[in-house]
Amino acid sequence: MNAGIFRKATMTAACLATLATPSIAAAQGCVAQEDVSDGVVYAMPMLLDGFEAKCSEQLSSDGFAAQKGAVLKERFVTLQDDAWPGTFRVIGQFAERGRAPGGKKSNNFVESLETLPEDAVRPFVDALVTQEITKVIPHKECANIERGLELMEPLPPKNWGGLAALLFQLAGVKNPSICSPDID
């Protein structure tokens, strides 16, 4: 999956969900790889839905997405609850970057979301990621994305997340950056 597509979708969700405590984001100038991995695992069902919505007319009815897309999606759906806490921390990190100097919130809608319970925000995140992914996928990349999904399909879902986190770190994703892994 294209790192730029996931990043744009995640950032959009984050802008609407300034949720994590400022002390967590301030204490750590980078996002933990484990949390990024959780974010990828959590978002993958929505990313797949958005991909299908954007690309369904361009893909073959006997291609990978048509034949195995639903099964692939279900593998991630079963892990979403466990991946939510890390995803929530990622959203908080990105949202914290959207605050004005001095910690002042820059958006009344975002401020109002902070009063919601953490799980009440999930439907907003889910809808926004699905909506935004359809905006950022170029039609010309549908076949390439399908091929990438097919190549990665044998990997366990947690490996998808871990690989994405590693690639984001190696690519030098900034604002916030991806933390180096803890090595024991």
Side-chain angles (χ1 to χ4, degrees), residues 76-135:
F76 287 93
V77 167
T78 61
L79 300 174
Q80 281 185 303
D81 286 343
D82 290 339
W84 175 248
T87 303
F88 187 70
R89 287 188 293 272
V90 169
I91 291 168
Q93 285 279 27
F94 279 100
E96 183 64 24
R97 300 292 188 235
R99 290 180 184 264
K104 188 175 182 181
K105 298 169 197 82
S106 58
N107 183 315
N108 288 336
F109 179 67
V110 171
E111 186 174 342
S112 68
L113 285 178
E114 286 185 306
T115 63
L116 295 174
E118 184 178 321
D119 282 339
V121 176
R122 284 178 72 168
F124 290 109
V125 171
D126 294 0
L128 286 169
V129 171
T130 302
Q131 177 183 357
E132 289 304 309
I133 199 67
T134 61
K135 292 179 185 177

Side-chain angles (χ1 to χ4, degrees), residues 4-14 47 125 128-130 132-133 136:
I5 293 169
F6 176 76
R7 181 170 166 75
K8 286 179 184 177
T10 303
M11 286 176 55
T12 299
L47 297 173
V125 171
L128 286 169
V129 171
T130 302
E132 289 304 309
I133 199 67
V136 299

Side-chain angles (χ1 to χ4, degrees), residues 130-182:
T130 302
Q131 177 183 357
E132 289 304 309
I133 199 67
T134 61
K135 292 179 185 177
V136 299
I137 293 176
H139 281 287
K140 66 181 183 175
E141 295 299 333
C142 290
N144 288 330
I145 293 170
E146 182 178 41
R147 178 70 177 133
L149 293 171
E150 183 176 13
L151 290 170
M152 291 184 61
E153 186 267 337
L155 293 175
K158 289 187 179 191
N159 286 50
W160 286 55
L163 182 59
L166 174 64
L167 292 174
F168 291 168
Q169 187 211 10
L170 292 173
V173 170
K174 301 287 184 222
N175 199 21
S177 62
I178 311 302
C179 301
S180 295
D182 293 330

Side-chain angles (χ1 to χ4, degrees), residues 13-129:
C15 288
L16 294 173
T18 306
L19 302 169
T21 27
S23 61
I24 293 171
Q28 186 174 349
C30 58
V31 179
Q33 286 198 12
E34 297 82 13
D35 290 347
V36 174
S37 177
D38 282 347
V40 170
V41 169
Y42 181 83
M44 192 55 66
M46 286 82 70
L47 297 173
L48 291 168
D49 285 345
F51 165 71
E52 183 179 314
K54 180 75 172 223
C55 298
S56 62
E57 293 178 10
Q58 296 182 8
L59 301 175
S60 169
S61 62
D62 63 347
F64 176 80
Q67 298 298 315
K68 294 187 178 181
V71 172
L72 178 63
K73 178 182 167 182
E74 187 57 32
R75 290 173 46 205
F76 287 93
V77 167
T78 61
L79 300 174
Q80 281 185 303
D81 286 343
D82 290 339
W84 175 248
T87 303
F88 187 70
R89 287 188 293 272
V90 169
I91 291 168
Q93 285 279 27
F94 279 100
E96 183 64 24
R97 300 292 188 235
R99 290 180 184 264
K104 188 175 182 181
K105 298 169 197 82
S106 58
N107 183 315
N108 288 336
F109 179 67
V110 171
E111 186 174 342
S112 68
L113 285 178
E114 286 185 306
T115 63
L116 295 174
E118 184 178 321
D119 282 339
V121 176
R122 284 178 72 168
F124 290 109
V125 171
D126 294 0
L128 286 169
V129 171

